[in-house]
Amino acid sequence: MSAPMNMLRTYRKLSNFSSILQNFKKEKQKNVFCISIRCLSLQEYQSKKLMLDNGINCQKFVVCSSVEEAKTAAKKLEVDEYVIKAQILAGGRGKGVFSNGFKGGVHLTKNPSEVEGLVTSMLGHKLKTKQTTGDGVKVSKVMVAEALDLARETYFAIVLDRSFAGPVIIGSKHGGMDIEETAATDPHSIIKEPVDIMTSVTERQCLSVAEKLGFQGNNLQTAADQIRRLYELFVKVDATQVEINPFGETPDGRVVCFDAKINFDDNAAFRQKEVFAMDDMAETDPREIEASRLKLNYIALEGSIGCLVNGAGLAMATMDIIKLHGGEPANFLDVGGGVSEQQVHDAFFLLMGDSHVKTILVNIFGGIVNCATVATGIIKASKKLHLELPLVVRLEGNNVEEAKKILAESGMKITVADGFNDAARLSVQSASTA
């Protein structure tokens, strides 16, 4: 995995990433754009299976992907109460609405005969929630699980925290709510317990955290055991975050992880083949899937200016200056430090396939790369792909004069910008008139 994508992804993996993203969403209307990060995301049932396989207490469940499976789901579980959940990555499922008019992606029932009908009403239909875009996400799987009452709920998580240079256990007696809200209303209730990654979490630490979360009696040791197993899972699967909310107790004295969110280190994909194979890409932007196939560092946005840039910092600065001039970037696209003619071709192919793109801006700084190589790649790609979109090019650095000469003598309609600011201004102007 290349350093540019790590820079973007690491930004999201900091201990305060949730609050940062929330602030970004609030500020979106104030000329601050949100970068959507392409990371491995597992469905709820997948996270729970990972936990069950590692000795962590969760509700029993079955997954239905067809009407036939829905018919036998209730019999397979045989529990007192069922919870039926549509499996999509977006939040707010309970208040969502399906394309067939059915309301709610989460339902409870004690009647086994109702399970089939509820599953059937969800399968194959698009669910629209406050977090989905367009007309929603098609539901291809529904989880039918054991519904449990909560006697008490707490919050538990393990995250990588830069300030502690390693894993940190975070907990609160206030479960079932956003940890950001708890931090704002009752910051002193939040527990932070750094873990030495070289020696692992200790029994004393597990018991201390469990006690601070309010577990007592036999459940104190049970909760400590679950905390230890959660940390072992965190390390085993190369996670950057394991969040259990709520981590609770049932009226009959069980300690259960009711809901889970697990984030993974993309750099460990080579080591975690089974985990990463669980990502079916069903909810991933097709443009990002194609970019992954072409081995390009690409994040789809919603603007009209396609960006081809080398270096993550320069790519983000390019998006910033486009915004400054009143435009909207269509993507983050970093082709890396050593840009080849083939990479330029593949990047043009990807940008031309995006119907939102009205203008392409190439912004290259030739440090390692020879600008003349980039210029030649631009001309070859433009001719081979029959590029008709307006093209603005800014080149600086290694062999830039030769590169500008190549572009000028190509006979093609290419706008060569004089500097970073000029490139952004010209591309915004071109997109607005296209």
Side-chain angles (χ1 to χ4, degrees), residues 40-311:
L40 171 65
S41 296
L42 297 185
Q43 301 285 1
E44 181 184 357
Y45 78 90
Q46 294 172 314
S47 295
K48 285 187 174 178
K49 184 179 187 305
L50 265 182
M51 293 196 296
L52 286 170
D53 290 344
N54 287 274
I56 298 164
N57 298 335
C58 300
Q59 303 116 300
K60 296 187 292 183
F61 69 89
V62 295
V63 178
C64 304
S65 55
S66 67
V67 175
E68 288 69 28
E69 290 175 340
K71 292 178 181 178
T72 59
K75 292 181 180 179
K76 287 181 179 178
L77 281 182
E78 293 184 348
V79 294
D80 294 333
E81 187 172 15
Y82 303 85
V83 57
I84 296 88
K85 293 186 174 184
Q87 296 297 285
I88 65 171
L89 297 176
R93 290 173 293 173
K95 296 182 180 180
V97 179
F98 287 87
S99 53
N100 61 354
F102 186 67
K103 294 182 179 180
V106 179
H107 284 266
L108 288 166
T109 182
K110 293 184 177 180
N111 187 347
S113 62
E114 292 180 354
V115 172
E116 179 186 344
L118 290 168
V119 174
T120 304
S121 298
M122 299 180 186
L123 273 178
H125 303 286
K126 288 187 175 182
L127 176 59
K128 186 173 182 178
T129 78
K130 62 182 180 181
Q131 290 189 11
T132 58
T133 58
D135 55 355
V137 177
K138 185 177 180 180
V139 175
S140 59
K141 288 182 173 61
V142 175
M143 181 179 75
V144 180
E146 175 188 19
L148 295 174
D149 291 330
L150 269 166
R152 197 176 67 87
E153 51 188 327
T154 71
Y155 174 92
F156 178 86
I158 307 168
V159 299
L160 286 179
D161 191 319
R162 177 178 292 175
S163 63
F164 290 99
V168 176
I169 292 173
I170 298 175
S172 173
K173 289 183 177 181
H174 306 304
M177 59 191 295
D178 291 337
I179 193 65
E180 293 84 2
E181 184 178 340
T182 302
T185 58
D186 190 8
H188 298 294
S189 70
I190 295 178
I191 304 160
K192 288 188 178 181
E193 181 71 33
V195 178
D196 186 337
I197 199 165
M198 301 303 294
T199 59
S200 188
V201 69
T202 65
E203 180 68 12
R204 181 194 63 77
Q205 286 179 304
C206 293
L207 284 168
S208 173
V209 171
E211 186 175 16
K212 289 175 181 177
L213 290 177
F215 290 97
Q216 299 176 353
N218 293 333
N219 278 357
L220 176 62
Q221 185 61 56
T222 302
D225 291 341
Q226 289 295 292
I227 289 169
R228 176 181 54 79
R229 290 176 187 268
L230 285 164
Y231 181 82
E232 289 171 351
L233 174 66
F234 176 85
V235 174
K236 178 181 178 181
V237 299
D238 287 293
T240 58
Q241 172 183 319
V242 172
E243 182 182 48
I244 310 299
N245 191 19
F247 179 49
E249 294 176 288
T250 64
D252 58 356
R254 296 165 60 183
V255 178
V256 180
C257 296
F258 283 84
D259 205 354
K261 179 180 181 181
I262 306 176
N263 290 345
F264 303 87
D265 183 357
D266 294 338
N267 293 299
F270 73 96
R271 195 165 48 226
Q272 301 292 343
K273 289 184 171 60
E274 290 185 10
V275 172
F276 279 77
M278 296 167 73
D279 187 1
D280 61 7
M281 298 287 194
E283 295 181 42
T284 303
D285 191 306
R287 293 169 292 179
E288 295 183 10
I289 295 174
E290 179 65 10
S292 179
R293 185 185 70 80
L294 295 171
K295 295 181 170 54
L296 293 172
N297 300 315
Y298 176 89
I299 302 295
L301 300 173
E302 299 177 356
S304 59
I305 301 173
C307 304
L308 191 166
V309 190
N310 67 326

Side-chain angles (χ1 to χ4, degrees), residues 321 325 361 392-394 415-429:
I321 200 166
H325 283 278
L361 169 59
V392 178
V393 178
R394 178 256 183 171
T415 302
V416 180
D418 183 19
F420 196 177
N421 189 66
D422 189 46
R425 180 183 60 80
L426 289 171
S427 62
V428 171
Q429 180 181 323

Side-chain angles (χ1 to χ4, degrees), residues 8-33:
L8 278 173
R9 288 169 177 168
T10 300
Y11 178 75
R12 197 180 181 187
K13 293 170 184 174
L14 301 179
S15 61
N16 62 340
F17 77 93
S18 294
S19 60
I20 291 173
L21 290 181
Q22 289 299 322
N23 288 335
F24 269 9
K25 291 173 184 178
K26 292 176 183 177
E27 294 293 321
K28 190 173 183 182
Q29 301 303 319
K30 300 178 182 178
N31 287 332
V32 178
F33 59 86

Side-chain angles (χ1 to χ4, degrees), residues 294-296 307-310 333-336 338-352 360 362-364 369-385 387 391 393 395 407:
L294 295 171
K295 295 181 170 54
L296 293 172
C307 304
L308 191 166
V309 190
N310 67 326
L333 175 54
D334 167 26
V335 293
V339 189
S340 67
E341 291 183 11
Q342 184 61 46
Q343 284 176 305
V344 174
H345 173 277
D346 291 343
F348 272 43
F349 173 78
L350 187 65
L351 295 176
M352 289 170 62
I360 294 177
V362 177
N363 189 12
I364 299 292
V369 67
N370 187 330
C371 287
T373 301
V374 177
T376 303
I378 290 171
I379 293 167
K380 288 184 177 180
S382 299
K383 290 179 178 179
K384 186 175 181 180
L385 297 171
L387 178 66
L391 176 60
V393 178
L395 300 173
L407 293 175

